[in-house]
Amino acid sequence: RNLQTMKKLTQKFIDKGLSEDEALESAQVDYKKRAKKTMKTRIENNSFGFQKASKQSLEFFKPLMDYLDKENIEYYVGVEGNSEWFLASGVEYFYSYDFCIPSKKLIIEYNGEHIHPNPKMDKAEWDRWTHCWSKKSADECRDLDLEKIKLAESKGYNVIEVFESDGILSTELI
């Protein structure tokens, strides 16, 4: 879809009499402006539809969701057409959060340990650990997780981190 948009924008500038190189450069500038505007709107409306919760986290959150539904308390989790909660740090950077109860200013992050290194690991495990897709180290991934938590806390949210090996139930958080 992005490629199609770039082709259309480039053609628009060629039709205006620019050379191919000039048209491509102008299209890139135009595309970046459009993308920033779209991102700003999505951030303001918290309307990102592409982040979805893992099956593992949904199993964890399901009892909490049932409780909150019964109590008629609004929450955000990436399931059943809903998107995860997002917070922005400027227009370029945003973070998604697994579970959020906005009225309580509470965020719960469920961390599968193939994606998030558990700080409780011993040093040897920590040094061997790599992200399952990006192959980033435990230090790199933990720094990103802490950055995300710090942003939420700076906006007044309490953040609870739960790691899959913690063995707790979401109902214990209620």
Side-chain angles (χ1 to χ4, degrees):
R1 188 173 182 185
N2 296 342
L3 185 58
Q4 282 180 322
T5 301
M6 279 300 295
K7 284 181 180 179
K8 286 180 184 177
L9 287 172
T10 303
Q11 188 58 53
K12 177 180 101 173
F13 287 109
I14 288 172
D15 293 345
K16 289 184 177 182
L18 296 178
S19 71
E20 266 188 46
D21 288 343
E22 293 170 325
L24 180 59
E25 189 175 313
S26 295
Q28 288 171 335
V29 169
D30 193 336
Y31 184 82
K32 283 181 182 176
K33 283 181 187 174
R34 289 173 185 226
K36 279 190 174 190
K37 184 178 178 184
T38 298
M39 185 64 68
K40 186 174 189 272
T41 301
R42 287 182 174 178
I43 289 168
E44 288 168 356
N45 297 324
N46 196 42
S47 62
F48 294 82
F50 53 82
Q51 284 294 98
K52 301 295 176 203
S54 69
K55 287 181 184 177
Q56 186 181 30
S57 68
L58 291 177
E59 289 173 17
F60 174 79
F61 288 123
K62 181 72 172 108
L64 181 57
M65 292 163 60
D66 291 343
Y67 171 80
L68 295 171
D69 286 340
K70 188 175 78 179
E71 297 296 319
N72 201 28
I73 298 173
E74 181 183 40
Y75 60 88
Y76 287 80
V77 62
V79 65
E80 297 171 0
N82 300 315
S83 59
E84 292 181 339
W85 188 252
F86 285 82
L87 294 175
S89 176
V91 176
E92 281 88 23
Y93 300 100
F94 62 93
Y95 296 98
S96 64
Y97 297 87
D98 296 330
F99 198 95
C100 181
I101 306 170
S103 65
K104 305 293 183 193
K105 297 290 272 189
L106 178 65
I107 289 174
I108 304 168
E109 284 289 284
Y110 182 84
N111 294 331
E113 292 172 29
H114 60 293
I115 296 177
H116 304 275
N118 188 332
K120 295 176 186 171
M121 285 190 271
D122 65 37
K123 183 168 174 20
E125 287 177 297
W126 187 267
D127 291 342
R128 277 193 315 271
W129 188 94
T130 59
H131 187 281
C132 64
W133 300 306
S134 71
K135 303 303 179 200
K136 288 182 180 178
S137 72
D139 287 329
E140 291 172 300
C141 289
R142 186 65 186 153
D143 286 347
L144 291 171
D145 288 343
L146 292 174
E147 201 174 290
K148 180 176 163 176
I149 290 167
K150 185 178 175 183
L151 174 66
E153 290 174 342
S154 76
K155 294 186 179 277
Y157 288 86
N158 291 312
V159 180
I160 297 172
E161 268 189 302
V162 176
F163 288 86
E164 68 180 288
S165 65
D166 290 344
I168 68 167
L169 303 173
S170 65
T171 51
E172 293 175 46
L173 301 175
I174 297 170

